[in-house]
Amino acid sequence: MSTPKISPYDRPAGGWGALKNVAIQLVTQGIPLKGARTLLSANQPSGFDCPGCAWPDREHASTFEFCENGAKAVAAEATKRRVTPEFFAAHSVTDLLALDDYTLEGYGRLTHPMRYDAATDRYRPVAWHDAFALIGEHLRALPDPDQAAFYTSGRTSNEAAFLYQLFVRQFGTNNFPDCSNMCHEPTSVGLPPVVGLGKGTVTLDDFEHADTLLLFGQNPGTNHPRMLGELREAARRGATIVAVNLLHERGLERFADPQSPTEMLSLGGTPISAHYVTPACGGDFAFVKGVVKHVLERDAEARNNGEPALLDDAFLAEHTHGFDAFAADVRAERWDDLERASGVSQAQMCRIADVYLRGERVIATWGMGITQHKHAVATIQMIVNLMLLRGNIGRAGAGLCPVRGHSNVQGDRTVGINEKPSAAFLARLGEVFGFAPPQREGLSVVDTISAMLAGRIKVFIGMGGNFAMATPDTPRTWEALRQCALTVHIATKLNRSHLVHGRDALILPCLGRTEIDMQGGVAQGVTVEDSMSMVHLSYGINAPASAHLRSEPAIVAGMAQATLGRAPAGHADWHWYVEDYDRIRDAIAATFDDFADFNRRVRRPGGFRLDVPPAERRWLTPNGRANFTTHPLPDEMPIDSARRHAGARGAEVLQLATIRSHDQYNTTIYGLNDRYRGVFGQRRVVFANLEDLDALGFRAGERVDIVGVWHDGIARRADDFLLVAYDIPRGCVAAYYPETNALVPLDALADGAGTPTSKSVPVLLERRHG
C-alpha cells in the first residue's frame, strides 16, 4: 500500500507506469505466472472477453490485447485468494461491514453458496438445492410478482441475461433495474427518436478514416484505456482531436503505447488532444449549442458571400426533418447566455466550431460526463444535431460513438434486460415460448430503491454488481435493502452489498469470465456485445476458483426451476438450456431477427455485427428520417436552485462531480492510488479550483466534510476529505465514488431518462474540526 501523498504526475498515460502496475497487480494477487498466461488470452479469438470495459477488439495481430485496468480486472478474478466458509465463520457481518471496500475486495474469490444466519450474524454454507428452494419459496409466497426486483450487472453474458429475463417474465414481472439505468440510459432514450437506434453508429474501422474526433465527457485513460491506442494512431496520422471534459486528464493529453519500443525507450509519448475545453458542471449542452450557433453563422456568411455552403444541403434534404425550426431556435440564442450556461467563452466555442467545419469525417464520442446530468438527453440530442449539419452520420470515418462502460452492458439490453420492453418484443417472446408476458412497465434502479423504501419490493435478486454501493443516496439505499424479506447476490467476490442484506440473504458464487465453464463434459462459450454492436464468443481458460461454483446460466436455471417448476417451449426442465449454451443462443435467434443463425455466425473469426441502420442512413424513426431536436437553454440550472435552498450560504454552493480513480473499475477498488491525478495511498480527496479555495477561506491540504444541499431537507454528508488544488473550472469540485454516492439525492435525475445526476451534485464544504 502506498504512503498517502499528493504528487503531480508529469509522465504520459500508459508507458512504463502501466507495465509496472500490471506486474504489481499480478504479484499482489499471488499469480505472477498464471496471471501473465491468463492475460495473453484476453480478447483473443480462442480466449475470453475482458471482464472490464466494452471497448471493441481489433483484428488480433498482437498477443497483447489488454490494458492496465483490464489487467487489474483479470488479476482480481484469477487471484489466489479465497473467501471460504471458514472465513465467514471467523467474521461477523457487523465486523465485515466496518471494513473499507478495498479491504473487502482484497479477500478474494467466493467459494461456496452461503446463507445469512441472524442468530450468529454470520453467513453459513448452504447447499445449492436448498438455496434455490429458499428463493422459490420466497418468490411463490409473494401476492404479486411485481413485489420482486431482478437487478443485472453489465458483465452478465448474453446467454445468462436472456435466460434471466425469460425466467423473470414467466414469473410475471418486468422489474429489471439494470446498471444501464445509472450510466448510459440517456443515450438509450435520446438516440432512438433522432436516429432510430439507441446505440452508436461507428466501427473501429471508422476511427482509421476519421480526420476529426470530438470527445465529450470521458476519461479513456482510466475507464477504457484501449481506446487510447485508437486516439494515438489518429493523432499520429494528423487527425484533430478535441477533448471536452470537466477535468484535465492525462490520457487525453499524452499517451505512450507500451507496445511501442520507440516511445518506451525514449520515455516520450504521443500528444492526443489538439484542443481541450473544460465546461463547468452541466455546461456541455450550452457549449455544444454554441458550437452549432457558430456553424450556422459561418454557413450563412458563406452563402451571403456567394461561397459554397458549409452545411450538407443534400443530406439535410434527403435524410432529415426539423432543421428550420431547430436552426431558428439556435440563431435566437444570445452569446452571453451561452457563455454563462456553459462556462466557456464565445471565442473558444467558435474555435471548436471551426475545427468541426474543417473536418470532412467527424466522430463524436461521449461517456458518463455527458449522461449523468439533468439535461443529459438534451445534450446527446444536441451532439446529434451538430453531427447532422454536415452529414457526419452514416458514412465512413464519421458517426456517433457512445462509449459504454461494462463489458456486456449493451448486450444485456439487446437480449431483453429492460424494465420498459417494447410491445413487439413481448409479443415475440410470448409467441416463441408460449406464454403471456407481463405488459406493465417495470422498475428502474431508482424506482426500485423507492419501492423498497415504501415496502412494495420484498425480494431483491442481483445478478452481479454491487448494488448497495453503485446506487445514489447510500443511506437510503441501505435502508431499502434491509427492509426486504430476501436479498440474493450472484457474485464472484465479496462486496458490501452482501453485508447490507434483507431478513433472509444468500450469496451465490459464480464462475468468472476467465474460468472454464464445463457443462455435460463440454467447455461452453458465452457471448458479449461490445460498444460497437459486435457480438463474439468468450471461452474461459482457467480452472474454476472452487469446485462449488456454478455458471450464471446454471444459477438462473436453478432459480427458475425451483420457482416455476416448469420450463418454456415444452421443455421439462430449465437445465435443458444449460446442458448446451447453443440451445440458449437458438432461443435468442428465435426471438430476435438480428440474431438469426446465431450459432454459426458467432463462430466466424471476430463474430458478427448486429444491424445498425443509422450507419447505412436507414432511420427507423416514426417519420423515417433523422430528426433535429429543439431544446432551449434551461431557465435554471440545478446549482441555481441549490443556492436558493442554501439560504445565506448560497454563494458557497459548489457542484460536485463523482469520478473514478485510476485504481478502480465501477465500484471495485483495486488500490488506493490515482496515479494520473497525482494521488497516492488514499481515496478521500476532493479536487477543487485554487481560486475557489481562496474565496471560501480554505487551503489545499486541509480536511473538510462535504455536505449535500437539496430541496428535501434530508441531511446528506461525506466526511473527512483532503482538499487538493486542481485544474477544474470554478464552482466545481470532484471526488471519488462510491464514497460520495451518499451525496446524490434519490430524486436528482436526468430529465426523461431517470439517471442519477452524479456529475452535478450541489454541495457545501465545511472545515473539519478535531
Side-chain angles (χ1 to χ4, degrees):
M1 185 181 299
S2 302
T3 302
K5 64 178 180 179
I6 303 297
S7 179
Y9 190 81
D10 58 5
R11 283 165 281 177
W16 291 107
L19 290 182
K20 176 183 176 182
N21 277 274
V22 168
I24 289 173
Q25 287 294 320
L26 298 183
V27 172
T28 299
Q29 300 296 341
I31 52 167
L33 296 180
K34 174 188 174 183
R37 289 195 301 269
T38 303
L39 286 172
L40 292 178
S41 291
N43 302 314
Q44 297 294 329
S46 59
F48 61 90
D49 189 81
C50 177
C53 79
W55 190 252
D57 305 336
R58 270 281 170 207
E59 293 299 323
H60 297 280
S62 168
T63 56
F64 299 98
E65 292 291 339
F66 58 88
C67 65
E68 176 189 349
N69 280 4
K72 293 173 185 174
V74 169
E77 186 172 288
T79 182
K80 188 178 180 180
R81 301 173 181 178
R82 299 289 183 267
V83 179
T84 63
E86 291 74 21
F87 171 89
F88 284 111
H91 298 85
S92 71
V93 167
T94 300
D95 290 342
L96 291 172
L97 196 56
L99 302 176
D100 62 46
D101 296 280
Y102 173 57
T103 301
L104 291 174
E105 168 73 22
Y107 283 123
R109 291 291 301 278
L110 297 160
T111 62
H112 291 68
M114 308 295 292
R115 180 180 179 181
Y116 180 67
D117 177 12
T120 62
D121 190 34
R122 282 167 168 77
Y123 276 97
R124 296 192 179 280
V126 62
W128 278 105
H129 178 272
D130 292 335
F132 293 142
L134 181 68
I135 294 168
E137 177 185 327
H138 273 278
L139 290 176
R140 289 194 305 274
L142 296 175
D144 183 344
D146 284 336
Q147 291 184 354
F150 299 83
Y151 178 71
T152 317
S153 158
R155 57 150 289 158
T156 305
S157 69
N158 288 329
E159 290 73 17
F162 181 81
L163 209 61
Y164 194 41
Q165 66 83 30
L166 181 59
F167 153 50
V168 171
R169 290 194 164 104
Q170 281 215 283
F171 174 65
T173 185
N174 286 313
N175 285 347
F176 284 108
D178 174 52
C179 61
S180 291
N181 298 146
M182 295 183 285
C183 56
H184 265 281
E185 196 71 76
T187 299
S188 301
V189 169
L191 289 183
V194 294
V195 297
L197 185 72
K199 302 181 182 183
T201 67
V202 301
T203 66
L204 282 182
D205 287 343
D206 288 314
F207 276 79
E208 292 185 352
H209 298 99
D211 59 31
T212 307
L213 294 103
L214 308 177
L215 316 180
F216 294 98
Q218 62 180 132
N219 175 21
T222 288
N223 299 330
H224 26 269
R226 283 189 296 144
M227 182 182 181
L228 291 181
E230 303 300 329
L231 299 181
R232 172 182 177 272
E233 291 305 310
R236 289 170 71 88
R237 70 168 181 271
T240 301
I241 299 175
V242 178
V244 184
N245 197 60
L246 178 69
L247 296 170
H248 276 271
E249 303 288 11
R250 184 50 43 89
L252 291 170
E253 295 173 331
R254 181 175 288 271
F255 172 61
D257 186 350
Q259 297 190 58
S260 167
T262 301
E263 290 186 345
M264 296 298 282
L265 292 174
S266 69
L267 303 180
T270 299
I272 300 298
S273 299
H275 303 271
Y276 210 120
V277 184
T278 54
C281 283
D284 302 86
F285 168 72
F287 166 75
V288 180
K289 196 168 190 181
V291 171
V292 170
K293 181 176 176 66
H294 185 67
V295 168
L296 295 178
E297 289 176 349
R298 281 282 314 277
D299 175 71
E301 181 183 344
R303 294 174 194 263
N304 290 337
N305 293 335
E307 300 169 1
L310 298 180
L311 305 186
D312 189 335
D313 289 341
F315 174 82
L316 294 176
E318 182 179 354
H319 291 283
T320 72
H321 170 77
F323 171 75
D324 289 340
F326 163 74
D329 172 76
V330 173
R331 291 186 180 113
E333 292 288 7
R334 293 159 43 94
W335 277 111
D336 57 350
D337 291 335
L338 292 166
E339 287 183 317
R340 174 191 55 80
S342 68
V344 179
S345 69
Q346 176 183 348
Q348 193 166 26
M349 286 187 268
C350 294
R351 189 156 51 246
I352 301 308
D354 288 336
V355 170
Y356 175 74
L357 285 168
R358 288 193 294 271
E360 295 296 327
R361 298 173 302 280
V362 183
I363 291 176
T365 78
W366 64 90
M368 287 192 290
I370 294 296
T371 64
Q372 290 185 325
H373 288 285
K374 178 175 174 58
H375 307 292
V377 171
T379 304
I380 289 165
Q381 292 182 342
M382 193 60 65
I383 292 171
V384 175
N385 289 335
L386 174 64
M387 298 293 280
L388 291 175
L389 292 177
R390 285 171 55 81
N392 275 306
I393 302 176
R395 56 189 175 89
L400 307 173
C401 182
V403 182
R404 308 274 180 172
H406 226 148
S407 62
N408 197 42
V409 65
Q410 186 163 302
D412 289 350
R413 271 294 173 86
T414 299
V415 300
I417 299 295
N418 194 331
E419 78 279 8
K420 297 180 177 67
S422 70
F425 163 67
L426 292 177
R428 181 71 168 268
L429 190 72
E431 176 187 340
V432 171
F433 294 101
F435 75 106
Q439 300 296 309
R440 300 174 302 280
E441 283 191 358
L443 301 179
S444 67
V445 164
V446 169
D447 292 336
T448 294
I449 297 168
S450 297
M452 286 191 288
L453 281 169
R456 297 196 305 272
I457 294 292
K458 307 294 186 183
V459 175
F460 176 89
I461 298 177
M463 178 72 76
N466 186 358
F467 190 86
M469 297 308 293
T471 45
D473 233 339
T474 308
R476 298 179 74 195
T477 295
W478 289 18
E479 178 187 351
L481 286 165
R482 286 169 170 152
Q483 291 193 41
C484 290
L486 173 69
T487 52
V488 180
H489 293 283
I490 300 159
T492 58
K493 302 187 77 176
L494 181 66
N495 67 49
R496 195 166 302 278
S497 291
H498 309 152
L499 312 176
V500 183
H501 54 77
R503 292 185 293 280
D504 247 338
L506 291 167
I507 303 173
L508 304 182
C510 65
L511 293 171
R513 190 79 59 77
T514 62
E515 292 171 316
I516 299 169
D517 182 355
M518 295 293 291
Q519 305 292 339
V522 177
Q524 303 292 321
V526 297
T527 62
V528 298
E529 178 187 346
D530 63 33
S531 272
M532 296 180 186
S533 301
M534 291 295 299
V535 179
H536 49 91
L537 276 165
S538 173
Y539 285 93
I541 66 162
N542 290 334
S546 165
H548 301 278
L549 305 184
R550 295 198 179 184
S551 71
E552 287 179 324
I555 293 172
V556 172
M559 293 191 298
Q561 191 69 29
T563 303
L564 303 176
R566 65 186 187 280
H571 300 298
D573 194 313
W574 283 83
H575 294 286
W576 178 85
Y577 285 99
V578 181
E579 291 171 0
D580 182 350
Y581 292 176
D582 278 1
R583 295 171 180 174
I584 306 176
R585 287 187 280 271
D586 284 340
I588 294 172
T591 308
F592 300 98
D593 292 339
D594 274 4
F595 285 91
D597 204 11
F598 191 176
N599 278 305
R600 183 186 65 82
R601 293 164 69 203
V602 81
R603 286 178 166 86
R604 297 172 183 166
F608 66 95
R609 193 180 193 211
L610 296 169
D611 190 29
V612 182
E616 301 172 357
R617 294 186 170 176
R618 293 185 287 119
W619 318 103
L620 303 185
T621 57
N623 61 7
R625 287 176 170 254
N627 289 294
F628 283 93
T629 47
T630 298
H631 295 286
L633 288 181
D635 293 331
E636 184 177 68
M637 300 293 282
I639 187 76
D640 301 319
S641 174
R643 284 172 174 157
R644 285 192 291 102
H645 287 291
R649 296 194 61 185
E652 300 177 18
V653 175
L654 303 168
Q655 286 196 98
L656 168 73
T658 70
I659 58 176
R660 292 175 182 166
S661 80
H662 192 61
D663 268 356
Q664 77 178 95
Y665 192 76
N666 294 336
T667 58
T668 302
I669 312 300
Y670 299 124
L672 301 180
N673 296 339
D674 191 2
R675 186 169 78 251
Y676 296 152
R677 298 190 185 108
V679 176
F680 299 90
Q682 56 196 316
R683 287 183 53 81
R684 300 188 80 83
V685 300
V686 55
F687 302 99
N689 185 289
L690 185 58
E691 293 182 38
D692 281 334
L693 294 183
D694 290 341
L696 295 171
F698 293 108
R699 67 180 185 278
E702 283 191 89
R703 303 205 72 88
V704 297
D705 298 334
I706 312 175
V707 180
V709 180
W710 200 241
H711 62 82
D712 57 14
I714 294 175
R716 296 180 177 88
R717 59 188 304 119
D719 292 339
D720 196 15
F721 281 71
L722 178 72
L723 281 173
V724 177
Y726 205 79
D727 188 358
I728 185 172
R730 289 208 63 179
C732 306
V733 293
Y736 306 130
Y737 73 85
E739 289 85 348
T740 52
N741 281 356
L743 298 163
V744 184
L746 204 57
D747 64 343
L749 304 172
D751 293 341
T755 306
T757 57
S758 302
K759 294 292 187 286
S760 50
V761 184
V763 297
L764 296 166
L765 301 181
E766 293 184 351
R767 182 171 283 103
R768 186 166 182 81
H769 299 288

